[in-house]
Amino acid sequence: MEAELAALAASGATTFVGLMATEAWTQVRGRLARFLGRGEDDEVIDAELEESREELIAARRNGDEDGAAAVAAEWRIRIRRALRDNPEAEQELRAILELAPRQAAGPSVAINHNTVSGGHYNAPVIMAQWVSDSAPSTAPRGPGTA
């Protein structure tokens, strides 16, 4: 049973640390703070999570893989301790992991396969939503405008 809890703690830490550097972190941070704080230290845990997030982002920005790994190791130990100290925590952690966005596994890549048919083309065909160095205009387009 101890090996299963260790694996669950490792999975949780990997998932949560992976989410720390994403937009999805705000969705998960409060749940994780409540899980670890057990209703008593939620605000303290929340502040510690935010501090770890800043450390993780700084480590990744500087190419410090050891620093990023240390953040994950710290939360793996704390999650494992929470699982060991509270028998109901396992189901609660599994529920949080189930609700966690799947972005923790890394950036997703969407692949589109487009087909151009008909006509005769003397140059490469580029299909894109927009091709520029800036974001597309949000101005409404009327009939007959490109």
Side-chain angles (χ1 to χ4, degrees):
M1 187 65 156
E2 181 65 28
E4 184 179 326
L5 291 181
L8 180 59
S11 174
T14 300
T15 299
F16 298 133
V17 170
L19 287 170
M20 281 182 177
T22 70
E23 295 285 327
W25 177 240
T26 56
Q27 298 172 12
V28 176
R29 187 177 88 194
R31 290 184 199 123
L32 183 58
R34 284 188 297 278
F35 168 78
L36 291 167
R38 309 308 302 160
E40 297 174 16
D41 300 327
D42 297 359
E43 291 178 14
V44 172
I45 300 292
D46 189 62
E48 291 172 349
L49 286 166
E50 190 55 30
E51 183 179 328
S52 289
R53 178 181 181 274
E54 291 170 9
E55 289 174 18
L56 176 71
I57 290 171
R60 287 184 176 172
R61 186 180 310 124
N62 296 326
D64 179 9
E65 292 301 316
D66 290 338
V71 172
E74 174 187 349
W75 290 105
R76 183 177 58 247
I77 290 167
R78 293 187 67 175
I79 292 169
R80 187 174 181 177
R81 191 176 302 134
L83 291 170
R84 185 191 63 219
D85 294 347
N86 188 342
E88 297 86 35
E90 181 181 352
Q91 292 305 320
E92 188 178 343
L93 179 60
R94 288 185 191 280
I96 294 169
L97 288 170
E98 192 65 33
L99 294 173
R102 302 293 178 229
Q103 295 178 1
S108 61
V109 177
I111 299 174
N112 292 318
H113 296 280
N114 297 311
T115 303
V116 177
S117 62
H120 180 77
Y121 302 95
N122 293 319
V125 175
I126 299 173
M127 299 179 80
Q129 183 172 356
W130 65 82
V131 179
S132 73
D133 290 335
S134 62
S137 169
T138 58
R141 295 178 182 229
T145 59

